[in-house]
Amino acid sequence: PREERASYHLGAARALRATGDLRGAVKTYELVLRYEPENTDARTELERCARLLVAQKEQERDKQGRGLRGLLNKVLGGD
């Protein structure tokens, strides 16, 4: 049963990642690793999704920063 659960959740995690739900995928890969700590596919994909999430957050932060700088420059009459 543990292998079946791990297999089911591994498929669900892959589907979540494919649809862009990286947070959901991370949580589900973590669940797979609770059932099968030695599952290298789940561990690799978990790390990959975590890196993608960090990159997304950095991009969002950069976008917000550019938007705020642009607004500030407009208000202050800068470039």
Side-chain angles (χ1 to χ4, degrees):
R2 284 180 85 76
E3 290 97 18
E4 288 176 18
R5 286 187 213 150
S7 179
Y8 170 80
H9 289 297
L10 187 59
R14 288 178 177 150
L16 288 165
R17 182 173 184 248
T19 62
D21 183 358
L22 296 176
R23 283 190 179 101
V26 164
K27 289 178 183 179
T28 309
Y29 282 124
E30 289 171 343
L31 186 57
V32 171
L33 291 170
R34 276 192 235 145
Y35 291 118
E36 289 185 344
E38 72 286 350
N39 190 314
T40 56
D41 289 337
R43 185 160 311 282
T44 300
E45 290 302 316
L46 171 62
E47 291 168 1
R48 195 171 286 157
C49 287
R51 283 193 300 270
L52 287 170
L53 271 174
V54 168
Q56 271 184 358
K57 286 182 182 182
E58 288 173 356
Q59 284 178 341
E60 289 170 10
R61 208 176 2 223
D62 288 348
K63 259 187 205 179
Q64 288 176 344
R66 281 194 304 271
L68 291 174
R69 279 191 295 273
L71 178 61
L72 186 59
N73 285 334
K74 279 183 183 180
V75 169
L76 297 177
D79 292 325

